[in-house]
Amino acid sequence: MITIQSVWFEDGNIFVKMSNDSIIGTPISWYPNLSKGNDAQLKKFEIKGNGNWIHWEELDEDLSAEGFLSVVSTPVATH
């Protein structure tokens, strides 16, 4: 099982480093509760469930490793 190892924020994006050494980044704007947070609130998270999800108590947000992995495995339509 691939899990979340670390989390950071840069240029309006959230990045996660996974246990397989991949790095996945998505815009913070994809997550309405995170979008409402300031820098200090965004940095107040816990990696829970042995790396299965990230939890922000103050922002009432949970993001899962599975969710991040689905972003990279979703085919992108080309025209």
Side-chain angles (χ1 to χ4, degrees):
M1 173 182 276
I2 300 172
T3 58
I4 298 166
Q5 300 297 300
S6 61
V7 180
W8 69 97
F9 300 90
E10 189 176 308
D11 298 326
N13 295 293
I14 179 173
F15 292 92
V16 294
K17 182 174 182 186
M18 309 301 283
S19 58
N20 66 353
D21 288 330
S22 65
I23 295 174
I24 303 167
T26 59
I28 293 171
S29 62
W30 287 9
Y31 314 103
N33 288 352
L34 292 186
S35 293
K36 297 173 191 170
N38 60 39
D39 286 342
Q41 290 172 312
L42 290 174
K43 292 177 183 175
K44 273 172 107 173
F45 63 85
E46 294 179 82
I47 298 175
K48 306 272 244 172
N50 295 318
N52 287 310
W53 76 89
I54 312 161
H55 175 70
W56 287 263
E57 181 73 30
E58 197 171 323
L59 297 173
D60 191 30
E61 185 71 76
D62 293 292
L63 301 179
S64 69
E66 184 178 315
F68 281 104
L69 291 169
S70 71
V71 169
V72 295
S73 64
T74 302
V76 176
T78 58
H79 300 350

